[in-house]
Amino acid sequence: MLVRQASTVDRRAKLATITDEGKKFVDEVQPAMIRAQQCFVASLSDEDYETLMRILTELLLNSNEYGRAPLRALPSLESETK
């Protein structure tokens, strides 16, 4: 599902690339994952959902620099809906 190759820029690094098989797997499981996430928050009111997303976003932003592979640019989560 992934192919690991040595980096041509940094010999210490390995680059992981998703294969066609990996893309197919993601395409197959993603709808079920989205349904599971929607079920998880379905009982929340719109206000509670927005509060949850605000808190999770804040936690993500505040802890990003401590991760093993911090994101350089975080995606906007403003448009996420239930």
Side-chain angles (χ1 to χ4, degrees):
M1 291 195 197
L2 291 175
V3 174
R4 293 181 57 171
Q5 298 173 305
S7 169
T8 58
V9 177
D10 183 348
R11 293 164 79 164
R12 299 169 295 176
K14 295 277 189 187
L15 303 176
T17 306
I18 192 167
T19 64
D20 288 341
E21 179 185 5
K23 290 176 186 175
K24 182 180 176 198
F25 174 77
V26 170
D27 289 343
E28 289 172 358
V29 300
Q30 192 171 31
M33 181 190 71
I34 292 169
R35 284 191 306 274
Q37 291 172 345
Q38 290 170 335
C39 288
F40 184 72
V41 297
S43 65
L44 297 177
S45 68
D46 289 345
E47 182 180 345
D48 287 346
Y49 176 80
E50 293 302 322
T51 299
L52 173 65
M53 294 308 294
R54 181 181 51 75
I55 292 170
L56 290 174
T57 300
E58 186 174 333
L59 288 169
L60 175 68
L61 292 172
N62 290 335
S63 64
N64 180 53
E65 66 186 90
Y66 303 111
R68 287 182 54 197
L71 297 173
R72 292 187 183 119
L74 293 170
S76 172
L77 301 176
E78 295 296 320
S79 63
E80 294 292 320
T81 58
K82 257 184 13 176

